[in-house]
Amino acid sequence: MTSTLELKADKMLKVQFVGDDDVLNHILDREGGPKIKKERAQLLVNTQKIIKKPENELEEDDQEVLKDHNYVEVLGQDVQESLKNGSATDGGNKVYPFQNRKHPEKMAKLASELAKTPRKSVSLNMKNDPKITIDIPQCSKGHSSSDKSQLKNNDKSEFLSTAPRGLRKRLIVPRSHSDSESEYSASNSEDDEGVAQEYEEDTNEDILSQKIQAQNREVSAPVFRETPSKKMKREKTSHLVEKYFEAHSSSKVLTSDRTLQKLKRAKLDQQTLHNLLSKVSPSFSAELKQLNQQHEQLFHKWMLQLHLGFNIVLYGLGSKRDLLERFRTTMLQDCIHIVINGFFPGISVKSVLNSVTEVLDHVGTFRSVLDQLEWITNKFKEDSSLELFLLIHNLDSQMLRGDKSQQIIGQLSSLRNIYLIASIDHLNAPLMWDHAKQSLYNWLWYETTTYSHYTEETSYENSLLVKQSGSLPLSSLIHVLRSLTPNARGIFRLLIKYQLDNQDNPSYTGLCFQDFYQQCREAFLVNSDLTLRAQLTEFRDHKLIRTKKGTDGVEYLLIPVDNGILTDFLENEEEEL
Amino acid sequence: MATSSVSKGCFVFKPNFKKRKISVPIEDYFNKGKNASEDSKLRFETYQLIWQQMKSETERLQEELNKNLFDSLVEFLQTSHSGLWKNSKDWSCEIKLREIPTAALVLGVNVTDHDLTLRSLTEVLQNNVTPYVVSLQAKDCPDMKHFLQKLVSQLMDCKVDVQSKEKESVQVIQKNVHYSMDSLSAWYMSVTQKTDPKMPRKKRTSSSQWQSPPVVLILKDMESFTTKVLQDFIIISSQHLHEFPLILIFGIATSPVVIHRLLPHAVSSLLCIELFQSLSCKEHLTTVLDKLLLTTQFPFKLSEKVLQILTNIFLYHDFSIQNFIKGLQLSLLEHFYSQPLSVLCCNLPEAKRRIRFLSANQCENIRRLPSFRRYVEKQSSEKQVALLTSDKFLKEETQSLLENLHVYHKNYFLVLRCLHQFTSSLPKYPLGRQIRELYCMCLEKNIWDSEEYASVLQLLRLLAKDELMAMLQNCFKLFQSSSGKELGNTAKKIEEFLAQFQSLDAETKEEEDTSQSQSKGLQKTDLYHLQKSLLEMKELRSTSKRQTKFEVLREQVVSFVDSLVREYLLPPDTQPLHETLYFSSAHTLRQHLNAAPRIALHTALNNPYYYLKNEALRSEEGCIPNVAPDICIAYKLHLECSRLINLVDWSEAFATVVTAAEKMDANSVTSEERNEIIHLQCSVY
């Protein structure tokens, strides 16, 4: 997809950055002013040399890789055709990016920046630091996947300006790499602004250079060969490798320490959320409608192609369930068809096959899935008038993506009078199918981007942000406890209090049974070990407590209910009293 | 509309039986899709006709290509088995007896095609060698038990096919057979003894020469079998070989070395392996292309880009002929589906007949064809008017144009092959080694404008005589076999060239003589004269070099070829009405065959304007306006994080963006973003 021209531009770019990157490396790894300056000067000379070189040398290279690119180009051309304004086309490196180590502030910054960019300008409480305000446009350029040629122009000036500043800063406040990292893990609350600035500087450079590196990853190999000093090359590659491992295998991935609990806003429950959502009118409804109409025009074509032995798979952003549902209601009313919700948590191939046999009016059971498949195959081969449409929503779902399931569904779909139309959502869904399976499926791909919400598909999932059916445990808690004796209630309250007292203790495993007994005795709630045990059994039956054997063999008691609910419960109780 | 439920995931819809009977014929889908389309029924019929023809042609080709391989395989099986039987009577060479005859069949990496090949192989074997042919796949046989089970059940089935009247008894046995090699050989003995008296009645005439036919076991994908199973099976069956004549056929995708990698020496020494190589899939492709596209037999043609895509998918993705054919089918379908004038894509007499019945609408369609418009512009003004107003005149003109197009194709392919003869053996293959590469280049543009073509001509000018003559000879044969009207004199001309080359032999000898005599006369002179005469000689030589008869003739041949190319290898898009025969929408083909879901997702998230044509979404590349769909914003923000993301940060950042866009009430924003986050988690990860 990268045209050779772009390639060349890339290489030019690349060469430019070798120097700067190295400078950074040296600055970060070693300290000591004069040395840096010397190296830097050296490198600058190098870069100049290199810049002159590429033109002719690269051309040879291009010639050599041309054959390979030929293929890519041909395929790429069509993408370009399809995506006329194609942001996606200008390089696989954007679609398959190198995961960088990024910092949370970046996100906030990008957000404010995004909020700013369009027409409506909103004043945000940006820090009035000149450096940062300068940095923002820079990093936006680095991030916006703008034209490379443009980027190239910018970078020359940008880098000359940023790198020295970083250098100056470093010289003033000498800090090693590891130092800064550990600092990072601490927290990023707003009060240590200085540090944050430091980071901004740091990350900016880092990310910019990484970005470039990522962009040039593909072409980097030939470039290395051309760099005059071998040492540079070695460092370069090792640098790249380090970056990779830094991004992928660092033991602790750091996020900020803010948690949902600290949000002032109370959690909503499912119902309120639903109501609120229904009030929000979807934007761009006209365009979405148009998009959907485009897809609907394909229905007849789909039917035709299904009948001619192809199977159809839909991909693209947005839920395709409604689309398939419309397809079903308009085209398939008079045919036998089976709808399979792949996103249903309890789905399995067995149930798919069962529903097929249900269609065929089979009574009885099968010894194995393979037997069943064989029976179905024979049945369909015998009776050519039999026709069956299979609609599978989310063929790539957790339950169906296994090798065996795919094999079986593929074999079903390869039957002449079974027509399969399926949708996939996962980014890597096509990896499910090897060549053999692909030839079984005989797919025709259709892109149906709908932008519609995955409401139905996600309805079986839970969200962290929605109050976890919060009202239910509370009411059931109250309900259960009301039916208990006052003593039992007292026992339970004791346990709650103990748990709430310990809620800040991360290593809290529960209340030890002996201690609990002691406390209960002191509160005159029980008089023997046995009565307490009887009470606990009752709690356990109602799933109010959980017992765990500790390492020392002692029983620990724990209430498996959210602390917030417990507090609510206690407040409730006190009100009643 | 009850396809969502908390308790089940499969929903069966079975309409009433009466309703079901009135199923819509497929043609209806063909025409309903495009309301304004013409002659859709006819088009669909033509599609089906051409596709059937193409399909049967490819099947025939496949058979033909495999014939050699199968013949040698059958021969091997017959000899090895008869040898085995002889040995078994003659107990002296017991070691030989232990060796299972094995054919290692290297099929290449195009796994998807193997099935078909092996299926036809089974058929061939069943007809020629033995009724007992069993093929096993690795995934059916995870262990020895399943292996034997499958083997036995398939063997019994084979038997059932032969003697259908014994079906029931066999099935009874099948239920309670204890699967072991002993029982298998016992079964084999009983079966062969049973069939022996009935032998004359059986149609197995070829196999009747042996007392017992061998059992052929085909392992379809040798590489994926577990080594343990294979080893055990081979060891056991080698013990039983004298009572159970087994012959193995390994289907190998990679290389024969794999046998030795899978099997230790102790085991592989029990096999008597002979190697068979199937035709490479590239050759296969060449034949298919040759017989389907580079011929006037089928009117349907592919444009350069489409062909490029199909061959690229073949060469870079799967090497699968099946897939290539599938692509061809799809392009055929697309062509007939999307181009109303494709109704004319049939053989010439039929097309002429159809032209007469074209509706006014279709005539308009013809007028709208870009190639036809270009053609009209070149005509005189009266003719232009007539073409644009009178349907009748238009139809006549179309008929003649179509005829021209057919003649053009006839000549085109001849000259293309001729040119291929000349270019295919040149050093470095400037125009490609395969005819498909040459064809692609010729389809794309005027081939004579390309640099490669210039270099070809240069190389041709350096050819030696015998090479050139061989090429000419081949071309001559090509032209002779075709007996076209227009190119008739070309054949004659080539013949003339050949004759001239032959007569050249004698002349060159004479010339050499004269030059030798000249050099003799040069001896007795002084220095000045010597220099002078040497200068003269030099001049003479340089002029004579240019004038060698052979060189002149060679030049003539080259220019002759050049003129042929320039006359006949015009790219098809210069021909009026080429749209009726050529399928050119490479983009759709690529989209449906070689889709890139990743790019689609990426574009949808990064550049919503591409899908939602709203001006508010238009932006420079890479940044997203804050009014974009929520999911795009959330995605953009998440890119700024490493592997783990802090939900609070994320949602706050999101809120910043969205509130900047619209002053919505805060609560709904957060709820929205929450929903969004859920969605993103499900869709992207």
Side-chain angles (χ1 to χ4, degrees):
Chain A
M1 278 159 233
T2 26
S3 74
T4 41
L5 216 157
E6 274 176 337
L7 245 170
K8 217 179 280 174
D10 268 1
K11 284 179 183 176
M12 289 279 294
L13 251 183
K14 174 75 194 173
V15 170
Q16 174 84 350
F17 283 121
V18 168
D20 277 336
D21 258 349
D22 256 33
V23 171
L24 258 181
N25 232 2
H26 285 294
I27 297 165
L28 294 177
D29 289 340
R30 296 149 215 171
E31 59 296 56
K35 200 179 166 192
I36 292 165
K37 270 173 195 159
K38 222 189 274 168
E39 290 230 17
R40 188 177 160 71
Q42 213 180 350
L43 288 166
L44 274 178
V45 174
N46 282 342
T47 53
Q48 274 166 2
K49 264 190 224 156
I50 297 158
I51 292 164
K52 272 180 217 160
K53 257 189 189 175
E55 289 294 332
N56 38 22
E57 258 182 55
L58 287 182
E59 240 153 328
E60 284 170 32
D61 247 8
D62 286 346
Q63 286 284 333
E64 280 175 21
V65 288
L66 196 75
K67 285 250 159 111
D68 292 333
H69 273 283
N70 213 2
Y71 156 70
V72 182
E73 247 171 70
V74 171
L75 294 186
Q77 268 168 7
D78 300 301
V79 183
Q80 231 126 27
E81 264 168 37
S82 66
L83 317 173
K84 268 149 213 140
N85 44 1
S87 69
T89 55
D90 50 5
N93 36 26
K94 236 160 265 159
V95 189
Y96 306 95
F98 194 35
Q99 252 210 338
N100 293 333
R101 194 134 193 230
K102 285 164 176 168
H103 304 289
E105 279 130 11
K106 293 291 299 170
M107 188 158 67
K109 210 157 57 178
L110 185 82
S112 58
E113 179 199 319
L114 275 177
K116 265 172 145 187
T117 34
R119 281 115 254 178
K120 288 166 202 161
S121 62
V122 180
S123 63
L124 273 149
N125 50 346
M126 288 295 304
K127 293 163 202 159
N128 284 333
D129 191 293
K131 259 173 204 159
I132 291 175
T133 38
I134 295 165
D135 279 348
I136 288 168
Q138 277 176 4
C139 90
S140 82
K141 266 173 215 152
H143 274 291
S144 66
S145 33
S146 57
D147 274 3
K148 278 173 191 164
S149 56
Q150 190 198 330
L151 205 139
K152 181 186 149 201
N153 292 339
N154 291 337
D155 285 331
K156 270 183 191 164
S157 55
E158 248 174 54
F159 258 77
L160 288 180
S161 62
T162 48
R165 193 167 48 228
L167 195 128
R168 239 178 290 133
K169 196 103 189 173
R170 290 288 152 200
L171 287 176
I172 297 161
V173 193
R175 222 180 279 247
S176 75
H177 219 19
S178 58
D179 191 357
S180 60
E181 249 180 47
S182 65
E183 214 169 19
Y184 210 78
S185 59
S187 93
N188 54 355
S189 42
E190 269 83 295
D191 33 24
D192 42 5
E193 258 188 36
V195 183
Q197 275 172 36
E198 192 62 30
Y199 278 122
E200 238 111 308
E201 283 276 341
D202 193 72
T203 50
N204 242 338
E205 285 164 10
D206 229 46
I207 282 166
L208 258 174
S209 55
Q210 271 182 0
K211 206 97 194 171
I212 305 303
Q213 238 168 12
Q215 277 173 358
N216 290 325
R217 214 175 342 126
E218 293 170 343
V219 291
S220 52
V223 173
F224 291 146
R225 230 166 282 136
E226 282 154 27
T227 48
S229 71
K230 270 191 177 174
K231 181 189 156 208
M232 217 157 114
K233 168 190 157 191
R234 225 182 305 121
E235 271 181 18
K236 193 70 205 154
T237 37
S238 67
H239 188 59
L240 203 68
V241 171
E242 273 166 25
K243 280 276 155 73
Y244 176 83
F245 284 111
E246 194 189 335
H248 283 265
S249 64
S250 62
S251 53
K252 53 175 178 181
V253 181
L254 302 162
T255 55
S256 74
D257 56 351
R258 283 180 285 184
T259 55
L260 290 170
Q261 260 79 28
K262 289 189 186 166
L263 272 185
K264 274 151 263 159
R265 200 169 290 124
K267 277 187 180 181
L268 304 164
D269 60 34
Q270 196 80 45
Q271 195 55 41
T272 4
L273 172 71
H274 194 78
N275 291 340
L276 278 172
L277 276 180
S278 60
K279 268 184 235 157
V280 179
S281 61
S283 45
F284 309 112
S285 51
E287 283 82 6
L288 285 174
K289 207 174 158 197
Q290 204 186 346
L291 207 61
N292 273 323
Q293 273 168 357
Q294 276 175 23
H295 299 324
E296 275 166 42
Q297 277 164 8
L298 294 170
F299 283 176
H300 274 94
K301 203 172 176 184
W302 290 351
M303 283 303 272
L304 177 72
Q305 282 167 341
L306 286 173
H307 275 101
L308 292 177
F310 297 104
N311 291 311
I312 287 175
V313 62
L314 309 179
Y315 65 94
L317 183 70
S319 164
K320 289 157 282 286
R321 191 170 175 280
D322 288 342
L323 187 71
L324 278 178
E325 209 39 52
R326 274 199 300 280
F327 174 72
R328 187 179 76 81
T329 43
T330 50
M331 308 302 294
L332 298 182
Q333 276 316 330
D334 299 336
C335 318
I336 311 179
H337 56 274
I338 300 177
V339 178
I340 294 151
N341 291 340
F343 50 83
F344 180 71
I347 199 87
S348 68
V349 195
K350 182 80 184 152
S351 51
V352 174
L353 289 178
N354 278 342
S355 48
V356 176
T357 41
E358 186 188 327
V359 166
L360 300 175
D361 294 324
H362 177 265
V363 270
T365 51
F366 294 93
R367 242 188 305 162
S368 72
V369 178
L370 285 177
D371 279 349
Q372 197 168 4
L373 182 68
E374 208 175 301
W375 186 82
I376 292 170
T377 322
N378 288 334
K379 200 81 182 171
F380 273 97
K381 274 182 183 159
E382 276 165 26
D383 186 0
S384 60
S385 71
L386 212 56
E387 284 187 346
L388 175 68
F389 285 84
L390 278 180
L391 273 89
I392 305 184
H393 302 290
N394 292 79
L395 184 58
D396 55 346
S397 67
Q398 206 76 46
M399 297 303 292
L400 294 180
R401 67 171 60 147
D403 189 56
K404 276 211 177 114
S405 326
Q406 288 297 325
Q407 178 72 31
I408 285 168
I409 296 175
Q411 266 165 342
L412 267 188
S413 72
S414 68
L415 291 176
R416 262 205 64 246
N417 25 16
I418 291 189
Y419 312 117
L420 172 68
I421 178 163
S423 68
I424 54 169
D425 279 300
H426 197 282
L427 196 57
N428 292 325
L431 296 181
M432 290 188 298
W433 305 310
D434 54 14
H435 282 315
K437 283 198 203 74
Q438 238 159 10
S439 74
L440 277 180
Y441 276 118
N442 203 13
W443 286 128
L444 284 187
W445 297 75
Y446 275 90
E447 184 189 334
T448 53
T449 301
T450 58
Y451 283 103
S452 43
H453 301 279
Y454 291 96
T455 332
E456 185 68 38
E457 285 92 329
T458 52
S459 62
Y460 299 101
E461 312 280 329
N462 289 323
S463 169
L464 274 177
L465 292 160
V466 179
K467 206 192 286 180
Q468 215 39 263
S469 50
S471 58
L472 200 66
L474 185 59
S475 66
S476 53
L477 207 61
I478 294 167
H479 190 78
V480 170
L481 281 230
R482 271 202 190 133
S483 61
L484 294 176
T485 57
N487 267 5
R489 256 182 278 173
I491 293 170
F492 195 68
R493 210 175 303 132
L494 255 183
L495 193 56
I496 290 176
K497 275 186 184 144
Y498 188 79
Q499 187 157 336
L500 287 179
D501 288 343
N502 281 299
Q503 64 179 334
D504 293 330
N505 180 7
S507 59
Y508 172 70
T509 51
L511 179 55
C512 158
F513 179 78
Q514 285 309 322
D515 293 351
F516 192 35
Y517 176 59
Q518 207 57 43
Q519 285 183 25
C520 288
R521 263 188 87 101
E522 281 162 13
F524 299 110
L525 290 169
V526 292
N527 53 9
S528 77
D529 194 318
L530 273 180
T531 39
L532 179 59
R533 284 212 185 273
Q535 290 294 353
L536 290 182
T537 320
E538 178 128 25
F539 292 149
R540 205 176 298 136
D541 288 346
H542 285 104
K543 300 212 165 81
L544 288 177
I545 59 162
R546 222 169 40 200
T547 50
K548 237 188 324 190
K549 273 260 162 64
T551 43
D552 45 357
V554 184
E555 250 182 308
Y556 286 98
L557 304 169
L558 198 70
I559 308 175
V561 182
D562 195 54
N563 284 340
I565 294 168
L566 291 183
T567 344
D568 285 352
F569 174 74
L570 277 189
E571 279 167 13
N572 231 358
E573 287 275 278
E574 274 153 29
E575 271 170 33
E576 271 181 28
L577 292 174
Chain B
M1 179 69 195
T3 55
S4 63
S5 150
V6 267
S7 57
K8 64 175 191 169
C10 295
F11 304 88
V12 178
F13 293 89
K14 204 170 176 184
N16 296 338
F17 211 79
K18 265 184 256 162
K19 254 188 179 173
R20 220 184 80 204
K21 280 291 156 187
I22 345 158
S23 61
V24 194
I26 312 170
E27 297 97 274
D28 281 19
Y29 297 118
F30 198 84
N31 62 33
K32 261 194 226 156
K34 289 217 163 180
N35 290 327
S37 69
E38 305 279 326
D39 305 322
S40 52
K41 193 156 183 263
L42 200 58
R43 256 156 56 202
F44 184 68
E45 277 162 14
T46 340
Y47 158 76
Q48 286 209 309
L49 187 74
I50 293 186
W51 171 236
Q52 282 311 321
Q53 285 172 350
M54 280 185 158
K55 206 172 152 194
S56 55
E57 179 74 17
T58 48
E59 273 159 16
R60 199 183 58 76
L61 282 176
Q62 197 115 33
E63 237 167 67
E64 222 168 74
L65 289 172
N66 284 332
K67 197 168 176 293
N68 262 335
L69 176 72
F70 288 172
D71 282 352
S72 52
L73 251 178
V74 166
E75 197 185 332
F76 162 75
L77 293 183
Q78 283 172 349
T79 52
S80 65
H81 179 258
S82 60
L84 193 90
W85 201 248
K86 227 184 285 160
N87 285 341
S88 75
K89 279 178 182 165
D90 167 16
W91 286 92
S92 56
C93 39
E94 209 170 310
I95 303 161
K96 181 90 180 159
L97 187 68
R98 284 283 157 84
E99 287 187 354
I100 308 172
T102 306
L105 196 56
V106 182
L107 289 166
V109 290
N110 47 339
V111 187
T112 41
D113 292 348
H114 292 180
D115 240 14
L116 211 72
T117 318
L118 289 177
R119 213 178 302 146
S120 49
L121 173 67
T122 318
E123 241 167 64
V124 168
L125 291 183
Q126 266 171 347
N127 289 336
N128 296 327
V129 184
T130 165
Y132 311 113
V133 182
V134 178
S135 53
L136 291 181
Q137 272 179 309
K139 59 172 176 283
D140 297 334
C141 329
D143 51 41
M144 199 60 199
K145 189 184 151 215
H146 281 93
F147 191 98
L148 279 180
Q149 198 174 339
K150 279 272 166 195
L151 176 64
V152 171
S153 64
Q154 280 204 39
L155 262 183
M156 305 268 180
D157 274 350
C158 288
K159 208 56 216 164
V160 169
D161 287 341
V162 178
Q163 315 167 289
S164 48
K165 54 178 178 176
E166 281 178 59
K167 198 171 180 177
E168 282 162 37
S169 62
V170 172
Q171 270 184 341
V172 171
I173 298 166
Q174 205 177 330
K175 291 277 185 225
N176 36 19
V177 152
H178 175 66
Y179 304 109
S180 74
M181 216 56 201
D182 282 327
S183 64
L184 207 59
S185 49
W187 167 83
Y188 181 77
M189 287 303 265
S190 72
V191 162
T192 43
Q193 263 152 28
K194 228 186 271 175
T195 50
D196 267 345
K198 294 179 202 159
M199 195 65 85
R201 239 166 29 93
K202 294 280 165 283
K203 61 174 180 179
R204 290 178 285 116
T205 44
S206 57
S207 60
S208 62
Q209 59 196 17
W210 309 312
Q211 279 100 325
S212 54
V215 175
V216 177
L217 175 61
I218 303 175
L219 302 182
K220 280 183 181 174
D221 39 358
M222 153 95 175
E223 281 100 333
S224 37
F225 274 93
T226 35
T227 44
K228 184 93 175 46
V229 171
L230 267 185
Q231 287 173 23
D232 287 354
F233 179 74
I234 288 169
I235 292 170
I236 295 171
S237 53
S238 77
Q239 300 293 327
H240 289 266
L241 199 60
H242 55 280
E243 45 199 16
F244 188 70
L246 183 78
I247 299 181
L248 290 173
I249 296 179
F250 291 155
I252 296 171
T254 49
S255 82
V257 187
V258 96
I259 298 178
H260 298 288
R261 204 173 300 152
L262 281 177
L263 305 173
H265 182 72
V267 177
S268 62
S269 64
L270 294 174
L271 300 175
C272 169
I273 303 173
E274 195 160 322
L275 200 65
F276 294 89
Q277 186 92 37
S278 81
L279 207 60
S280 97
C281 46
K282 270 196 232 160
E283 276 169 61
H284 206 142
L285 176 75
T286 314
T287 0
V288 168
L289 273 179
D290 205 53
K291 289 277 151 34
L292 288 185
L293 292 176
L294 298 175
T295 162
T296 48
Q297 193 189 347
F298 300 105
F300 175 70
K301 299 276 176 293
L302 296 178
S303 78
E304 182 257 339
K305 276 225 182 106
V306 177
L307 187 61
Q308 195 91 305
I309 281 179
L310 285 182
T311 46
N312 277 340
I313 290 178
F314 177 84
L315 291 174
Y316 290 88
H317 288 249
D318 49 10
F319 287 115
S320 160
I321 297 292
Q322 298 296 85
N323 268 351
F324 184 82
I325 303 284
K326 172 190 165 191
L328 202 62
Q329 186 193 1
L330 181 67
S331 39
L332 190 69
L333 178 65
E334 278 288 326
H335 179 61
F336 279 98
Y337 187 80
S338 55
Q339 173 63 265
L341 283 172
S342 58
V343 74
L344 300 180
C345 183
C346 53
N347 56 17
L348 190 56
E350 176 65 20
K352 278 183 171 174
R353 201 182 60 79
R354 283 181 190 179
I355 288 174
R356 261 179 273 145
F357 299 111
L358 283 186
S359 65
N361 235 336
Q362 283 282 50
C363 290
E364 249 344 280
N365 279 336
I366 293 181
R367 288 190 187 114
R368 253 182 250 133
L369 288 181
S371 67
F372 187 75
R373 265 156 62 185
R374 255 177 276 140
Y375 170 76
V376 169
E377 275 160 25
K378 281 183 208 144
Q379 306 304 313
S380 61
S381 57
E382 305 108 63
K383 206 175 173 189
Q384 278 187 3
V385 173
L387 278 175
L388 292 180
T389 52
S390 156
D391 279 357
K392 190 161 174 273
F393 187 70
L394 177 81
K395 282 179 186 176
E396 278 166 21
E397 193 65 22
T398 317
Q399 282 189 343
S400 70
L401 282 178
L402 261 190
E403 199 164 339
N404 285 348
L405 200 58
H406 279 255
V407 171
Y408 158 82
H409 275 135
K410 215 181 238 173
N411 296 335
Y412 188 95
F413 292 124
L414 266 179
V415 175
L416 187 75
R417 278 168 215 274
C418 169
L419 182 62
H420 181 62
Q421 287 294 339
F422 280 104
T423 58
S424 58
S425 53
L426 291 178
K428 278 196 173 177
Y429 310 102
L431 282 177
R433 201 183 313 203
Q434 304 282 349
I435 195 163
R436 60 162 191 270
E437 296 165 67
L438 184 66
Y439 183 48
C440 268
M441 266 186 246
C442 293
L443 283 177
E444 193 187 357
K445 57 183 182 201
N446 291 335
I447 181 99
W448 55 88
D449 290 338
S450 64
E451 280 175 36
E452 290 90 354
Y453 183 73
S455 70
V456 161
L457 286 190
Q458 251 169 6
L459 285 171
L460 281 180
R461 287 194 185 104
L462 297 175
L463 277 181
K465 201 180 74 183
D466 40 354
E467 284 174 301
L468 204 59
M469 276 180 71
M471 287 177 186
L472 278 175
Q473 213 96 46
N474 284 338
C475 287
F476 180 63
K477 272 180 215 151
L478 262 178
F479 283 114
Q480 241 183 355
S481 62
S482 73
S483 74
K485 287 166 263 168
E486 305 232 337
L487 288 165
N489 51 356
T490 358
K492 219 177 280 168
K493 194 138 188 210
I494 292 176
E495 205 174 6
E496 271 169 37
F497 277 130
L498 279 171
Q500 276 172 320
F501 272 121
Q502 263 147 13
S503 65
L504 234 124
D505 276 335
E507 286 171 38
T508 42
K509 264 180 198 165
E510 280 169 30
E511 258 180 42
E512 271 169 32
D513 286 345
T514 53
S515 62
Q516 270 181 1
S517 65
Q518 266 185 350
S519 60
K520 272 173 199 163
L522 207 126
Q523 274 163 356
K524 284 179 189 172
T525 38
D526 55 19
L527 194 66
Y528 173 71
H529 277 279
L530 182 69
Q531 276 182 336
K532 201 179 172 185
S533 57
L534 273 177
L535 271 176
E536 273 171 14
M537 278 271 293
K538 217 178 188 178
E539 266 171 42
L540 199 117
R541 205 173 280 168
S542 62
T543 48
S544 73
K545 214 173 205 170
R546 223 178 285 142
Q547 282 162 354
T548 316
K549 283 219 171 143
F550 167 65
E551 278 165 347
V552 172
L553 206 53
R554 188 166 62 185
E555 188 62 45
Q556 275 177 0
V557 170
V558 172
S559 62
F560 167 70
V561 171
D562 189 36
S563 70
L564 270 185
V565 168
R566 277 167 200 269
E567 192 177 347
Y568 294 110
L569 283 190
L570 290 164
D573 43 347
T574 57
Q575 304 295 314
L577 294 185
H578 72 91
E579 287 96 335
T580 58
L581 306 185
Y582 280 83
F583 173 67
S584 57
S585 148
H587 166 59
T588 41
L589 195 67
R590 194 186 122 69
Q591 227 180 13
H592 296 329
L593 287 182
N594 196 8
R598 198 167 190 133
I599 290 181
L601 275 181
H602 186 261
T603 320
L605 288 170
N606 277 312
N607 187 11
Y609 178 71
Y610 174 64
Y611 292 101
L612 306 170
K613 300 283 181 216
N614 189 314
E615 283 309 306
L617 289 176
R618 176 166 254 160
S619 68
E620 55 184 292
E621 272 180 40
C623 29
I624 282 189
N626 54 17
V627 290
D630 303 327
I631 193 167
C632 300
I633 296 171
Y635 174 74
K636 202 76 195 167
L637 292 172
H638 118 276
L639 280 183
E640 296 310 316
C641 284
S642 52
R643 275 178 303 157
L644 294 184
I645 191 162
N646 184 317
L647 271 179
V648 181
D649 288 348
W650 195 11
S651 42
E652 273 182 357
F654 180 82
T656 323
V657 177
V658 178
T659 41
E662 277 157 72
K663 299 282 181 199
M664 283 194 281
D665 96 299
N667 221 358
S668 80
V669 172
T670 38
S671 60
E672 196 172 66
E673 101 212 0
R674 282 165 190 187
N675 208 17
E676 223 46 64
I677 289 159
I678 308 163
H679 291 171
L680 202 76
Q681 280 168 337
C682 296
S683 67
V684 182
Y685 296 106

